[in-house]
Amino acid sequence: MLDDEPGRKRRRFWVHPIVAQRQQKGQFHKLFNDLRQDSNKFKSYCRMSIETFDHLLICLHPDLNFVDTSMRRSISAEQRLLVTLRFLATGNSFASLHFEFLLGISTISGIVCHTCKVIWQRLREAVMPTPTAADWLRIAAGFNQSAQFPNCIGALDGKHIRVKKPPHSGSRYFNYKQYFSVVLMALADSDYKFVIVDIGAYGSTSDSRILSASRMGERLRQNQLALPEPSRLPGSAGPPAPFVIVADEGFGLSPHLMRPFPRRDLDDRKRIFNYRLTRARRYVECAFGILSSKWRVFQSSIQMKPDNVTLVIQACVMLHNFTRIHDASTDADLGLNMTSSVSLDLSRPGRPGTAGLAVREIFADYFSSPEGALSWQMDVIRGSR
């Protein structure tokens, strides 16, 4: 018998007596049906409405449904999804969830990782498909309406996700903010949804290097993003302007990626451009804020292996877009001030390209012209001096 082998710890229980009471005292069996009777409480608990939860369950059910065996009953797809959502929504440890749901710690770990993987695989094409030229035009129309920045196809930035230091990793995960992290690089639209993401880069790597090494950066350099042809800015008789991504000074300037003018020697024209770019760039900052406010696993260090951290981030990105689409989340619901300005990070300048400089000049001229100026922009830049 294996239990009689020398040095092997003898197993005390096949199922611990506390875990055996799961169907009588576990949170899923005891609380879940009551939560479904109160839509506000349900949304607070699951971070989505009842209708959205049911829709999500239908999407994931084929990969979360397991059959009973002669040894034990399977855990239902509904319970697997609920356990995962509670982990993502609270960031509670698996040990804490063990006492809430009366499931084994290793069982919870397996459920969370598997469900996160299924969420990414099942939802990716539905909520974050590869953009087409028509999609880019729709995104650009949104930025023009919301941020008054025409020909903008997204706001780009990186977010450091705090993690437990992986063994034998040296300083690769140690970032300039003095903690260990992996990076979520994301392009967001004006509805705070993520359009393209790159996940899992070392925290010590700069934003520009992450973009350069990513598939998105490679496709941007090789003009493989199916971007629309350059077009004149609204009301302008000047040269056609390419469609561009807006970012901070952590990124390099290129014909399709705009960053602010350096702080030195700024005149009113350059200040206006920086202000207008910042108004557009704030959308990715706000998208990150919504993501971490809803899914609070990001508000503390994730105690998982790097590969599993990637699964968690992937799932949260998919759930973020899914709830933005189906729940039409409002800014007030999340307690965020979306009108606040975003300060520029000037600590990591890059070397601008000649073509990028020319494109930036086109936008700077337009924003200072009668056709592209905002009535309040001069008051803002004079007040910021």
Side-chain angles (χ1 to χ4, degrees):
M1 296 293 291
L2 289 176
D3 287 344
D4 295 331
E5 292 180 3
R8 185 180 180 90
K9 185 176 180 180
R10 186 177 180 83
R11 188 169 184 171
R12 295 179 61 195
F13 305 106
W14 173 249
V15 178
H16 195 282
I18 294 179
V19 176
Q21 301 179 70
R22 178 169 67 245
Q23 296 198 23
Q24 293 77 37
K25 298 183 179 180
Q27 203 165 97
F28 175 77
H29 299 280
K30 192 174 181 180
L31 180 63
F32 186 65
N33 287 333
D34 292 337
L35 283 173
R36 292 185 69 94
Q37 307 305 313
D38 188 316
S39 59
N40 291 329
K41 293 292 185 183
F42 187 95
K43 190 169 186 178
S44 177
Y45 189 85
C46 294
R47 298 296 194 267
M48 62 184 66
S49 66
I50 298 172
E51 295 77 13
T52 301
F53 178 90
D54 291 340
H55 186 187
L56 178 62
L57 183 61
I58 291 171
C59 295
L60 306 182
H61 191 273
D63 291 326
L64 297 184
N65 191 41
F66 293 84
V67 298
D68 298 337
T69 68
S70 58
M71 303 296 292
R72 63 184 64 183
R73 296 179 60 182
S74 65
I75 300 168
S76 68
E78 196 172 29
Q79 186 171 2
R80 288 173 176 271
L81 179 57
L82 187 69
V83 168
T84 303
L85 291 179
R86 282 305 289 169
F87 170 72
L88 300 178
T90 64
N92 287 350
S93 66
F94 294 152
S96 176
L97 295 173
H98 158 69
F99 290 108
E100 294 176 19
F101 290 93
L102 300 185
L103 292 164
I105 294 176
S106 60
T107 301
I108 290 175
S109 174
I111 286 174
V112 168
C113 292
H114 175 257
T115 306
C116 286
K117 184 176 181 180
V118 170
I119 289 172
W120 171 259
Q121 293 174 342
R122 283 280 178 175
L123 298 186
R124 185 175 182 183
E125 288 302 317
V127 303
M128 201 178 68
T130 301
T132 63
D135 293 326
W136 292 126
L137 289 172
R138 175 184 52 79
I139 293 170
F143 273 102
N144 190 31
Q145 180 179 3
S146 301
Q148 293 76 51
F149 199 114
N151 287 27
C152 176
I153 58 170
L156 180 69
D157 204 1
K159 176 177 175 61
H160 287 272
I161 308 297
R162 190 184 294 264
V163 298
K164 175 184 176 182
K165 180 183 182 297
H168 315 296
S169 61
S171 61
R172 286 176 294 179
Y173 290 88
F174 196 69
N175 64 36
Y176 71 97
K177 298 181 179 181
Q178 307 298 305
Y179 61 81
F180 296 95
S181 67
V182 297
V183 178
L184 164 61
M185 179 74 66
L187 183 71
D189 65 15
S190 61
D191 191 36
Y192 312 109
K193 295 197 297 288
F194 297 116
V195 181
I196 301 176
V197 296
D198 182 83
I199 300 169
Y202 297 137
S204 62
T205 310
S206 67
D207 287 345
S208 60
R209 291 184 62 186
I210 294 172
L211 177 63
S212 179
S214 70
R215 187 165 179 262
M216 173 173 58
E218 180 181 357
R219 294 179 66 193
L220 185 64
R221 288 193 303 272
Q222 298 179 0
N223 294 320
Q224 295 178 349
L225 284 179
L227 298 181
E229 290 297 319
S231 64
R232 285 190 172 90
L233 301 176
S236 171
F243 286 80
V244 298
I245 294 168
V246 295
D248 64 20
E249 290 204 359
F251 296 89
L253 185 67
S254 74
H256 292 292
L257 199 154
M258 295 290 99
R259 69 174 192 176
F261 285 101
R263 183 178 297 178
R264 62 185 181 276
D265 301 326
L266 285 178
D267 55 22
D268 284 349
R269 175 175 162 278
K270 293 179 179 180
R271 290 179 183 274
I272 289 171
F273 174 85
N274 286 0
Y275 166 66
R276 298 290 290 274
L277 183 139
T278 301
R279 293 185 76 248
R281 189 175 63 81
R282 66 180 180 174
Y283 283 89
V284 67
E285 301 284 356
C286 292
F288 287 146
I290 294 170
L291 178 75
S292 59
S293 293
K294 185 182 285 286
W295 308 109
R296 297 187 178 181
V297 68
F298 295 129
Q299 295 190 6
S300 59
S301 178
I302 303 178
Q303 304 294 304
M304 302 174 77
K305 295 179 180 179
D307 288 346
N308 292 335
V309 170
T310 297
L311 291 176
V312 166
I313 300 171
Q314 288 175 337
C316 288
V317 167
M318 293 299 99
L319 291 172
H320 171 89
N321 279 11
F322 190 81
T323 54
R324 293 295 300 175
I325 293 170
H326 294 283
D327 279 344
S329 303
T330 62
D331 304 335
D333 290 338
L334 298 166
L336 294 175
N337 178 11
M338 298 303 178
T339 61
S340 61
S341 62
V342 180
S343 60
L344 302 178
D345 179 6
L346 302 175
S347 59
R348 292 168 291 169
R351 182 178 297 172
T354 304
L357 288 170
V359 173
R360 186 166 63 180
E361 292 298 321
I362 293 175
F363 281 95
D365 289 339
Y366 176 75
F367 292 145
S368 295
S369 70
E371 295 79 14
L374 298 177
S375 60
W376 64 85
Q377 64 187 25
M378 287 302 297
D379 294 334
V380 172
I381 66 167
R382 288 169 180 168
S384 65
R385 291 179 178 176

